[in-house]
């Protein structure tokens, strides 16, 4: 008697959805009896797919963690989701190790698909276009990412070998609070217990990461993403800019996000609408200033330049050019 391959594969797909499936539930989904379900399970076990029988009132069958990845059964929506995820990962710089890992994974999925589905997915991929250019990719080593993530999860200190932007090498100890992706780069943020200061490191500049003995407790209410953005805004650059801008934080953030500028201002008075426009203190650092005058103009809010004077000159020059262009006729 030939094995009903399609039903065995359907059984595998049901088990891959997670949890314990009772024999009665599986029999109903497969339109067979309980004895046949057990025979199908034996077929999967013969293929080295780790299926466990769970005894008891709420027992049934489930997939157990195996020494290797079992065959994956993907329907049309799932296969498209995986391939689009790989494409998006390459475009945004969120793949680890090398770009070839994503390409080989996509190729393996493509080879395993039925021809009917493969043709449909190829049509989507060939028709797909992006309005934004590919982001700058700075991919960390997979081993570093996994080691840091494990330390974050279990609140363990780590020792890292780090290479700075100018090529200097050092070994640091870090209490890692979280991993953050921003603008195509991966960061780990935490505290250096030796100096008691918050630190943020790019994962692609970490050559090695080792877990150390001990544990730590992260601060209450910690937001790793906000820590990274604030750290980027305060990073050392050629120019330090301070401004006063009249508006709300939300209005200013439309042009000067948290990764670019820090915003401070007086707390709203009791009973005052927190969204009321007021004078706010804005600080940012930049290697160049020529991009700031158009940004300030696009804010369309009153502002005062406290420093540097060079920025004031650039704003005046832009205003003169705009005025001259607006007065031209024909």
């Amino acid at each position: 008697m030939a094995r009903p391959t399609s039903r065995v594969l359907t059984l595998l797909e049901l088990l891959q959805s997670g949890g314990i499936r009772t024999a009665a539930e599986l029999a109903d989904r497969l339109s067979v009896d309980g004895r046949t379900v057990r025979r199908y399970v034996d077929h999967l076990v013969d293929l080295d797919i780790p299926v466990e029988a769970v005894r008891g009132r709420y027992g049934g069958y489930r997939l157990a963690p195996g020494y290797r990845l079992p065959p994956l059964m993907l329907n049309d929506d799932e296969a498209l989701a995986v391939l689009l995820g790989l494409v998006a990962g390459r475009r945004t710089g969120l793949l680890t190790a090398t770009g070839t890992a994503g390409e080989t994974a996509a190729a393996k999925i493509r080879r395993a698909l039925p021809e009917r589905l493969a043709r449909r997915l190829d049509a989507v991929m060939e028709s797909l276009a992006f309005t934004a250019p590919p982001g700058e990719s700075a991919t960390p080593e997979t081993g570093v990412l996994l080691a840091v993530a494990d330390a974050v999860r279990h609140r363990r200190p780590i020792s890292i070998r780090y290479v700075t932007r100018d090529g200097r090498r050092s070994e640091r100890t870090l209490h890692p609070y979280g991993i953050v992706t921003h603008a195509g780069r991966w960061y780990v943020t935490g505290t250096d217990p030796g100096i008691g200061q918050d630190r943020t490191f790019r994962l692609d500049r970490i050559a090695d990461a080792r877990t150390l003995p001990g544990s730590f407790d992260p601060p209450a209410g910690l937001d790793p993403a906000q820590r990274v953005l604030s750290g980027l805004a305060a990073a050392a650059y050629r120019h330090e800019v301070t401004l006063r801008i009249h508006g709300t934080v939300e209005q200013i953030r439309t042009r000067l996000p948290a990764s670019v500028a820090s915003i401070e201002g007086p707390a709203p008075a009791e009973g005052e609408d927190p969204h009321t426009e007021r004078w706010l203190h804005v600080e940012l650092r930049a290697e160049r200033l020529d991009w700031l005058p158009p940004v300030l103009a696009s804010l369309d809010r009153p502002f005062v330049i406290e420093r540097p004077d060079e920025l004031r000159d650039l704003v005046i020059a832009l205003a003169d050019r705009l005025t001259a262009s607006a007065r031209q006729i024909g």
Side-chain angles (χ1 to χ4, degrees):
M1 176 178 174
R3 289 183 177 180
T5 304
S6 62
R7 286 177 175 170
V8 173
L9 294 177
T10 301
L11 171 62
L12 175 58
E13 184 175 2
L14 292 171
L15 294 176
Q16 285 184 152
S17 62
I20 298 174
R21 300 281 185 163
T22 66
E25 177 188 2
L26 294 172
D28 180 65
R29 295 290 297 272
L30 299 172
S31 300
V32 297
D33 56 26
R35 180 178 298 178
T36 305
V37 169
R38 289 192 292 273
R39 190 167 69 248
Y40 291 170
V41 169
D42 290 339
H43 294 339
L44 293 177
V45 172
D46 290 341
L47 295 171
D48 290 333
I49 297 173
V51 181
E52 281 185 341
V54 180
R55 300 185 180 279
R57 180 180 177 184
Y58 301 103
Y61 298 98
R62 66 183 177 192
L63 279 183
Y67 67 92
R68 64 180 184 180
L69 186 70
L72 295 176
M73 299 294 297
L74 300 177
N75 59 31
D76 293 17
D77 291 341
E78 292 167 340
L80 179 59
V82 171
L83 291 176
L84 287 178
L86 291 171
V87 171
R90 289 199 299 269
R91 295 284 300 194
T92 57
L94 294 185
L95 294 181
T96 61
T98 63
T100 58
E103 294 171 1
T104 55
K108 288 178 180 179
I109 294 174
R110 171 63 179 80
R111 286 196 300 268
L113 295 176
E115 189 58 31
R116 174 195 61 80
L117 178 55
R119 286 197 303 269
R120 296 179 65 188
L121 293 182
D122 285 345
V124 173
M125 295 304 181
E126 292 171 4
S127 305
L128 186 61
F130 294 86
T131 58
E136 180 184 349
S137 178
T139 56
E141 291 291 334
T142 301
V144 168
L145 175 61
L146 294 178
V148 173
D150 187 71
V152 170
R153 181 177 184 182
H154 296 100
R155 300 179 179 178
R156 301 282 301 278
I158 55 173
S159 173
I160 61 174
R161 287 194 291 114
Y162 194 71
V163 182
T164 61
R165 179 170 52 182
D166 56 6
R168 290 181 290 111
R169 298 176 179 271
S170 62
E171 186 159 337
R172 319 283 186 91
T173 298
L174 184 70
H175 289 175
Y177 297 150
I179 296 173
V180 179
T181 63
H182 172 70
R185 292 189 174 95
W186 296 72
Y187 298 88
V188 57
T189 184
T191 293
D192 184 331
I195 59 177
Q197 293 183 357
D198 295 342
R199 301 302 302 270
T200 295
F201 298 100
R202 277 176 48 173
L203 283 183
D204 62 291
R205 291 181 179 162
I206 297 178
D208 181 59
R210 295 181 294 106
T211 304
L212 299 176
S215 62
F216 64 88
D217 292 320
L222 177 72
D223 184 348
Q226 187 58 48
R227 283 172 59 100
V228 169
L229 293 177
S230 299
L232 293 174
Y237 288 98
R238 180 181 176 186
H239 298 283
E240 294 186 0
V241 178
T242 58
L243 309 161
R244 285 188 294 118
I245 302 178
H246 191 268
T248 66
V249 173
E250 292 77 12
Q251 289 170 335
I252 298 172
R253 284 288 183 233
T254 60
R255 294 294 184 269
L256 295 171
S259 60
V260 172
S262 61
I263 302 175
E264 296 179 357
E270 185 176 354
E272 184 181 7
D273 185 350
H275 299 293
T276 300
E277 296 177 358
R278 54 174 57 83
W279 284 101
L280 298 173
H281 184 77
V282 179
E283 290 189 1
L284 60 98
R285 291 166 172 79
E287 284 296 313
R288 297 167 48 190
L289 295 175
D290 55 353
W291 61 273
L292 258 176
V295 170
L296 294 175
S298 68
L299 266 174
D300 195 24
R301 307 300 311 162
F303 66 87
V304 175
I305 299 173
E306 295 184 344
R307 64 172 178 169
D309 290 338
E310 182 182 349
L311 176 60
R312 185 177 292 106
D313 295 338
L314 290 173
V315 171
I316 293 172
L318 174 64
D320 290 342
R321 292 196 301 273
L322 293 175
T323 300
S325 295
R327 286 175 175 170
Q328 290 184 13
I329 301 175

